mmCIF file of all heavy atoms in Angstrom:
data_model
loop_
_atom_site.group_PDB
_atom_site.id
_atom_site.type_symbol
_atom_site.label_atom_id
_atom_site.label_comp_id
_atom_site.label_asym_id
_atom_site.label_seq_id
_atom_site.Cartn_x
_atom_site.Cartn_y
_atom_site.Cartn_z
ATOM 1 N N ASP A 161 -1.454 12.041 8.207
ATOM 2 C CA ASP A 161 -1.154 11.777 6.803
ATOM 3 C C ASP A 161 0.157 12.383 6.333
ATOM 4 O O ASP A 161 0.827 11.831 5.466
ATOM 5 C CB ASP A 161 -2.288 12.297 5.908
ATOM 6 C CG ASP A 161 -3.537 11.429 6.013
ATOM 7 O OD1 ASP A 161 -3.387 10.240 6.375
ATOM 8 O OD2 ASP A 161 -4.633 11.921 5.751
ATOM 9 N N SER A 162 0.523 13.553 6.850
ATOM 10 C CA SER A 162 1.692 14.248 6.320
ATOM 11 C C SER A 162 2.292 15.159 7.385
ATOM 12 O O SER A 162 1.704 15.367 8.452
ATOM 13 C CB SER A 162 1.300 15.068 5.082
ATOM 14 O OG SER A 162 0.311 16.037 5.425
ATOM 15 N N VAL A 163 3.459 15.714 7.057
ATOM 16 C CA VAL A 163 4.149 16.597 7.988
ATOM 17 C C VAL A 163 4.914 17.655 7.203
ATOM 18 O O VAL A 163 5.340 17.415 6.065
ATOM 19 C CB VAL A 163 5.117 15.788 8.897
ATOM 20 C CG1 VAL A 163 6.302 15.266 8.106
ATOM 21 C CG2 VAL A 163 5.590 16.613 10.090
ATOM 22 N N THR A 164 5.070 18.825 7.783
ATOM 23 C CA THR A 164 5.912 19.882 7.216
ATOM 24 C C THR A 164 7.153 20.024 8.092
ATOM 25 O O THR A 164 7.203 19.535 9.227
ATOM 26 C CB THR A 164 5.169 21.228 7.188
ATOM 27 O OG1 THR A 164 4.888 21.627 8.544
ATOM 28 C CG2 THR A 164 3.871 21.132 6.398
ATOM 29 N N ALA A 165 8.155 20.721 7.569
ATOM 30 C CA ALA A 165 9.385 20.947 8.338
ATOM 31 C C ALA A 165 9.088 21.720 9.622
ATOM 32 O O ALA A 165 9.669 21.446 10.676
ATOM 33 C CB ALA A 165 10.398 21.698 7.478
ATOM 34 N N LYS A 166 8.163 22.668 9.552
ATOM 35 C CA LYS A 166 7.821 23.469 10.725
ATOM 36 C C LYS A 166 7.234 22.607 11.837
ATOM 37 O O LYS A 166 7.624 22.707 13.008
ATOM 38 C CB LYS A 166 6.842 24.574 10.324
ATOM 39 C CG LYS A 166 6.538 25.578 11.438
ATOM 40 C CD LYS A 166 5.693 26.718 10.907
ATOM 41 C CE LYS A 166 5.460 27.769 11.982
ATOM 42 N NZ LYS A 166 4.673 28.920 11.466
ATOM 43 N N VAL A 167 6.299 21.743 11.470
ATOM 44 C CA VAL A 167 5.678 20.859 12.456
ATOM 45 C C VAL A 167 6.707 19.875 13.002
ATOM 46 O O VAL A 167 6.790 19.641 14.215
ATOM 47 C CB VAL A 167 4.488 20.100 11.826
ATOM 48 C CG1 VAL A 167 3.977 19.016 12.764
ATOM 49 C CG2 VAL A 167 3.365 21.077 11.481
ATOM 50 N N PHE A 168 7.514 19.303 12.111
ATOM 51 C CA PHE A 168 8.523 18.327 12.528
ATOM 52 C C PHE A 168 9.531 18.955 13.490
ATOM 53 O O PHE A 168 9.932 18.336 14.483
ATOM 54 C CB PHE A 168 9.228 17.770 11.289
ATOM 55 C CG PHE A 168 10.213 16.680 11.570
ATOM 56 C CD1 PHE A 168 9.987 15.728 12.549
ATOM 57 C CD2 PHE A 168 11.393 16.599 10.835
ATOM 58 C CE1 PHE A 168 10.904 14.717 12.801
ATOM 59 C CE2 PHE A 168 12.313 15.601 11.088
ATOM 60 C CZ PHE A 168 12.069 14.659 12.066
ATOM 61 N N SER A 169 9.921 20.195 13.205
ATOM 62 C CA SER A 169 10.894 20.863 14.072
ATOM 63 C C SER A 169 10.355 21.028 15.493
ATOM 64 O O SER A 169 11.095 20.907 16.473
ATOM 65 C CB SER A 169 11.281 22.229 13.486
ATOM 66 O OG SER A 169 10.184 23.136 13.544
ATOM 67 N N ARG A 170 9.058 21.293 15.592
ATOM 68 C CA ARG A 170 8.445 21.456 16.916
ATOM 69 C C ARG A 170 8.338 20.113 17.649
ATOM 70 O O ARG A 170 8.509 20.044 18.866
ATOM 71 C CB ARG A 170 7.058 22.085 16.774
ATOM 72 C CG ARG A 170 7.097 23.545 16.326
ATOM 73 C CD ARG A 170 5.690 24.071 16.068
ATOM 74 N NE ARG A 170 5.702 25.489 15.711
ATOM 75 C CZ ARG A 170 4.644 26.164 15.289
ATOM 76 N NH1 ARG A 170 3.471 25.526 15.175
ATOM 77 N NH2 ARG A 170 4.727 27.442 14.977
ATOM 78 N N ILE A 171 8.057 19.055 16.899
ATOM 79 C CA ILE A 171 7.896 17.733 17.507
ATOM 80 C C ILE A 171 9.193 17.276 18.169
ATOM 81 O O ILE A 171 9.189 16.735 19.278
ATOM 82 C CB ILE A 171 7.451 16.705 16.450
ATOM 83 C CG1 ILE A 171 6.039 17.026 15.944
ATOM 84 C CG2 ILE A 171 7.474 15.280 17.018
ATOM 85 C CD1 ILE A 171 5.628 16.200 14.747
ATOM 86 N N ILE A 172 10.323 17.487 17.465
ATOM 87 C CA ILE A 172 11.593 16.954 17.982
ATOM 88 C C ILE A 172 12.515 18.052 18.521
ATOM 89 O O ILE A 172 13.662 17.780 18.873
ATOM 90 C CB ILE A 172 12.320 16.125 16.902
ATOM 91 C CG1 ILE A 172 12.631 16.987 15.669
ATOM 92 C CG2 ILE A 172 11.508 14.915 16.517
ATOM 93 C CD1 ILE A 172 13.447 16.246 14.625
ATOM 94 N N ASN A 173 11.991 19.287 18.563
ATOM 95 C CA ASN A 173 12.713 20.401 19.182
ATOM 96 C C ASN A 173 14.070 20.676 18.522
ATOM 97 O O ASN A 173 15.124 20.731 19.180
ATOM 98 C CB ASN A 173 12.913 20.133 20.684
ATOM 99 C CG ASN A 173 13.306 21.401 21.438
ATOM 100 O OD1 ASN A 173 12.952 22.514 21.044
ATOM 101 N ND2 ASN A 173 14.047 21.234 22.522
ATOM 102 N N ILE A 174 14.052 20.852 17.209
ATOM 103 C CA ILE A 174 15.242 21.285 16.480
ATOM 104 C C ILE A 174 14.835 22.460 15.600
ATOM 105 O O ILE A 174 13.649 22.784 15.482
ATOM 106 C CB ILE A 174 15.841 20.146 15.617
ATOM 107 C CG1 ILE A 174 14.836 19.694 14.536
ATOM 108 C CG2 ILE A 174 16.285 18.975 16.489
ATOM 109 C CD1 ILE A 174 15.403 18.670 13.563
ATOM 110 N N SER A 175 15.815 23.091 14.966
ATOM 111 C CA SER A 175 15.497 24.239 14.119
ATOM 112 C C SER A 175 14.716 23.792 12.890
ATOM 113 O O SER A 175 14.853 22.646 12.437
ATOM 114 C CB SER A 175 16.780 24.942 13.672
ATOM 115 O OG SER A 175 17.480 24.146 12.736
ATOM 116 N N GLU A 176 13.908 24.683 12.349
ATOM 117 C CA GLU A 176 13.123 24.354 11.162
ATOM 118 C C GLU A 176 14.024 24.036 9.979
ATOM 119 O O GLU A 176 13.725 23.163 9.171
ATOM 120 C CB GLU A 176 12.189 25.517 10.819
ATOM 121 C CG GLU A 176 11.218 25.199 9.695
ATOM 122 C CD GLU A 176 10.199 26.307 9.471
ATOM 123 O OE1 GLU A 176 9.992 27.130 10.389
ATOM 124 O OE2 GLU A 176 9.626 26.350 8.361
ATOM 125 N N LYS A 177 15.178 24.732 9.896
ATOM 126 C CA LYS A 177 16.116 24.499 8.798
ATOM 127 C C LYS A 177 16.677 23.080 8.872
ATOM 128 O O LYS A 177 16.777 22.380 7.867
ATOM 129 C CB LYS A 177 17.257 25.512 8.876
ATOM 130 C CG LYS A 177 17.927 25.795 7.542
ATOM 131 C CD LYS A 177 16.995 26.598 6.651
ATOM 132 C CE LYS A 177 17.690 26.944 5.333
ATOM 133 N NZ LYS A 177 16.756 27.590 4.394
ATOM 134 N N ARG A 178 17.037 22.668 10.083
ATOM 135 C CA ARG A 178 17.578 21.312 10.262
ATOM 136 C C ARG A 178 16.499 20.268 9.979
ATOM 137 O O ARG A 178 16.775 19.230 9.366
ATOM 138 C CB ARG A 178 18.120 21.156 11.682
ATOM 139 C CG ARG A 178 18.827 19.835 11.914
ATOM 140 C CD ARG A 178 19.349 19.748 13.331
ATOM 141 N NE ARG A 178 19.774 18.401 13.665
ATOM 142 C CZ ARG A 178 19.981 17.968 14.892
ATOM 143 N NH1 ARG A 178 19.804 18.782 15.926
ATOM 144 N NH2 ARG A 178 20.377 16.720 15.120
ATOM 145 N N ALA A 179 15.279 20.529 10.412
ATOM 146 C CA ALA A 179 14.174 19.606 10.157
ATOM 147 C C ALA A 179 13.929 19.479 8.653
ATOM 148 O O ALA A 179 13.683 18.378 8.144
ATOM 149 C CB ALA A 179 12.918 20.081 10.868
ATOM 150 N N GLU A 180 14.010 20.593 7.949
ATOM 151 C CA GLU A 180 13.810 20.585 6.499
ATOM 152 C C GLU A 180 14.886 19.752 5.802
ATOM 153 O O GLU A 180 14.591 18.969 4.892
ATOM 154 C CB GLU A 180 13.827 22.013 5.965
ATOM 155 C CG GLU A 180 13.516 22.129 4.487
ATOM 156 C CD GLU A 180 13.477 23.576 4.025
ATOM 157 O OE1 GLU A 180 13.968 24.455 4.756
ATOM 158 O OE2 GLU A 180 12.953 23.820 2.927
ATOM 159 N N ARG A 181 16.144 19.891 6.252
ATOM 160 C CA ARG A 181 17.237 19.113 5.662
ATOM 161 C C ARG A 181 17.020 17.620 5.890
ATOM 162 O O ARG A 181 17.228 16.797 4.983
ATOM 163 C CB ARG A 181 18.584 19.543 6.258
ATOM 164 C CG ARG A 181 19.123 20.851 5.712
ATOM 165 C CD ARG A 181 20.611 20.991 5.987
ATOM 166 N NE ARG A 181 20.919 20.929 7.418
ATOM 167 C CZ ARG A 181 20.955 21.977 8.232
ATOM 168 N NH1 ARG A 181 20.696 23.186 7.750
ATOM 169 N NH2 ARG A 181 21.251 21.833 9.514
#
Side-chain angles (χ1 to χ4, degrees):
D161 287 336
S162 60
V163 70
T164 64
K166 187 173 184 178
V167 171
F168 185 37
S169 69
R170 291 174 177 172
I171 293 170
I172 60 175
N173 196 28
I174 62 174
S175 71
E176 187 174 340
K177 206 71 177 174
R178 186 180 168 196
E180 185 177 16
R181 283 198 301 271

